[in-house]
Amino acid sequence: MLNYIAAVSWIINNDCNLKCKHCYPDSGEKFRNTKVLSREEIKQMTSSIKTINPDMIFISGGEPFMCPNLFEYLEEARKIAKKELSMCTNGLFITEENAKRLKEVGMNCVSMSICNPIPEKEDSFRGGIDIIKKVKLAAKRLKQQGIYITIDMTITNYNKEYIKEFVELARSMQADVINFKRFRPMGRGKNNTYLTLTVDENKKVLSEILEIAISMPDVRIRVEDPLYSILLNSKRKTNINVLPDYMKKDVEQQDSLIPNLQTCNAISKSDKNGLKRYWGCSAGIEWIGIDHEGNVSPCPLLGYAGLTIGNIKEKKLIDILNSSEEIKSLRESSSKCQYNSICGGCRTDAYIKYKNLLGKDPMCFMNKKECYCNKGE
């Protein structure tokens, strides 16, 4: 019986002041009139989430600061997050006063994105003005309050040539974590598929990031692409001593979940196949998503892709997860792939491509076996 999930990504709105070309949920002004929940409704949702004893609550949107009762969500989430409360924002609303309020409410970490380190390209891609300048200022204000920051980049054909420049920019902002994400063709990105890398291009970029991470052991670099774990594991086997210390440790030895942010990647003790997803897919294993209407998905990305398994307004989260065939399959399905226990493949990309939660990751560069066995195998 499942009674614990390490991290919950709680999407509290879908309104946004930017128009990023890769946006997973296609957030924007059209959601500005979405119903604002009462404090009592937020408490009821929080009570449902509490049933799975989360270590981390990760608040996101849309742009959370465009939610009129953002701080009510944060106050309630802080009560049930056993270890850490984090938030994803574009950073444009981080005034000195808001940074102070975030500290007072118990915020541990704030994640902000930069899609291209070249200012003109960044503004064009995201539909804003002086975005990098504003994010730099936000980072400074958050650091002054003692809040960890992570700077994210979603890797696309628009920025794949600027990996080193992005890392240097994030370092100049004193980022505690530099985080790379895989682009998935959904939401607004569905109409901008030119942003998608080929399998070979993706492998090349992931390899480049790993080499940068090795060359900068004082900087925490993580990658939210399960395939990165294959490259990292190969390096562990050949010469683990070249890896930075934070890459050598299992997450259970870490003092904080913050270095791993959106996916906690803790070792799963209860799974039949002994999963050890150091940096691989944690969908339904260590991470689940909840959208602004209360719909639950095995990860927030799968929610954006249209897969939901229940609603916390109608049922306790613990009961939703324990009655879900999708969660069961993610935790218990067998695999013939030798990399499944550390990688697992991206379940969202598989679902987008094949409408199969257990299908092959279409970006896999190993090209050997399916990520999971078909039923009956």
Side-chain angles (χ1 to χ4, degrees), residues 50 75 84 88 106 117 123 127 131 163 189 192 224 228 253 269 272 274 279 309-310 318 332 346 350 369:
K50 184 180 179 181
E75 288 165 4
E84 287 152 1
C88 179
D123 291 349
I131 293 175
I163 302 300
N192 293 302
E224 288 184 45
Y228 186 71
Q253 297 175 291
K269 304 184 187 72
K272 292 182 178 179
W279 286 41
I309 60 175
I318 188 71
E332 298 183 1
C346 177
K369 294 182 175 67

Side-chain angles (χ1 to χ4, degrees), residues 132-183:
I132 291 179
K133 180 179 179 180
K134 293 171 182 176
V135 173
K136 281 184 175 181
L137 184 57
K140 180 180 178 181
R141 289 168 173 166
L142 291 166
K143 295 290 286 187
Q144 287 174 340
Q145 293 296 328
I147 297 174
Y148 274 55
I149 62 168
T150 178
I151 305 298
D152 301 341
M153 173 192 271
T154 298
I155 305 168
T156 68
N157 268 319
Y158 190 74
N159 59 27
K160 70 178 188 291
E161 304 297 332
Y162 298 93
I163 302 300
K164 290 182 179 178
E165 291 85 349
F166 168 74
V167 170
E168 288 303 328
L169 175 60
R171 289 186 75 188
S172 73
M173 296 163 64
Q174 296 184 311
D176 295 285
V177 180
I178 300 173
N179 190 42
F180 291 92
K181 300 180 179 181
R182 183 200 292 192
F183 169 72

Side-chain angles (χ1 to χ4, degrees), residues 155 159-167 180 201-215 221 223 228 231:
I155 305 168
N159 59 27
K160 70 178 188 291
E161 304 297 332
Y162 298 93
I163 302 300
K164 290 182 179 178
E165 291 85 349
F166 168 74
V167 170
F180 291 92
E201 287 172 336
N202 190 50
K203 182 180 181 181
K204 180 180 178 181
V205 172
L206 295 182
S207 299
E208 178 184 357
I209 293 171
L210 180 57
E211 291 308 312
I212 291 174
I214 291 171
S215 69
I221 295 177
V223 182
Y228 186 71
L231 299 178

Side-chain angles (χ1 to χ4, degrees), residues 134-376:
K134 293 171 182 176
V135 173
K136 281 184 175 181
L137 184 57
K140 180 180 178 181
R141 289 168 173 166
L142 291 166
K143 295 290 286 187
Q144 287 174 340
Q145 293 296 328
I147 297 174
Y148 274 55
I149 62 168
T150 178
I151 305 298
D152 301 341
M153 173 192 271
T154 298
I155 305 168
T156 68
N157 268 319
Y158 190 74
N159 59 27
K160 70 178 188 291
E161 304 297 332
Y162 298 93
I163 302 300
K164 290 182 179 178
E165 291 85 349
F166 168 74
V167 170
E168 288 303 328
L169 175 60
R171 289 186 75 188
S172 73
M173 296 163 64
Q174 296 184 311
D176 295 285
V177 180
I178 300 173
N179 190 42
F180 291 92
K181 300 180 179 181
R182 183 200 292 192
F183 169 72
R184 282 91 172 179
M186 57 186 177
R188 197 171 297 135
K190 191 174 182 180
N191 297 319
N192 293 302
T193 54
Y194 71 93
L195 296 172
T196 308
L197 274 62
T198 65
V199 171
D200 289 340
E201 287 172 336
N202 190 50
K203 182 180 181 181
K204 180 180 178 181
V205 172
L206 295 182
S207 299
E208 178 184 357
I209 293 171
L210 180 57
E211 291 308 312
I212 291 174
I214 291 171
S215 69
M216 299 180 178
D218 59 320
V219 179
R220 285 186 179 271
I221 295 177
R222 69 155 285 109
V223 182
E224 288 184 45
D225 185 327
L227 298 172
Y228 186 71
S229 65
I230 297 176
L231 299 178
L232 193 154
N233 191 62
S234 176
K235 190 70 71 171
R236 285 179 189 238
K237 289 183 176 180
T238 55
N239 187 2
I240 192 172
N241 291 325
V242 305
L243 295 177
D245 288 342
Y246 70 93
M247 287 188 181
K248 298 176 186 177
K249 296 180 181 179
D250 295 342
V251 174
E252 286 184 334
Q253 297 175 291
Q254 303 284 5
D255 296 328
S256 169
L257 299 179
I258 285 174
N260 302 288
L261 279 172
Q262 288 97 329
T263 48
C264 293
N265 300 296
I267 297 176
S268 301
K269 304 184 187 72
S270 60
D271 293 82
K272 292 182 178 179
N273 51 356
L275 294 175
K276 292 187 178 181
R277 298 275 170 77
Y278 300 113
W279 286 41
C281 179
S282 296
I285 299 170
E286 297 291 340
W287 188 31
I288 57 101
I290 299 170
D291 71 14
H292 61 288
E293 295 179 341
N295 296 308
V296 181
S297 56
C299 88
L301 303 184
L302 281 166
Y304 296 144
L307 177 62
T308 59
I309 60 175
N311 191 293
I312 60 170
K313 294 180 181 180
E314 303 167 358
K315 199 174 182 180
K316 291 180 179 179
L317 182 54
I318 188 71
D319 294 332
I320 292 172
L321 299 181
N322 277 309
S323 62
S324 169
E325 288 298 319
E326 290 85 357
I327 296 296
K328 182 179 179 180
S329 66
L330 287 169
R331 299 179 71 88
E332 298 183 1
S333 294
S334 61
S335 175
K336 293 182 179 178
C337 176
Q338 63 178 308
Y339 304 105
N340 184 276
S341 64
I342 60 165
C343 170
C346 177
R347 297 303 90 221
T348 299
D349 246 356
Y351 188 77
I352 293 172
K353 180 78 172 180
Y354 307 112
K355 290 300 177 185
N356 179 3
L357 183 61
L358 299 180
K360 183 179 178 66
D361 184 340
M363 293 298 285
C364 180
F365 45 74
M366 303 310 294
N367 288 320
K368 292 186 176 182
K369 294 182 175 67
E370 294 293 315
C371 295
Y372 293 90
C373 299
N374 294 320
K375 289 184 178 181

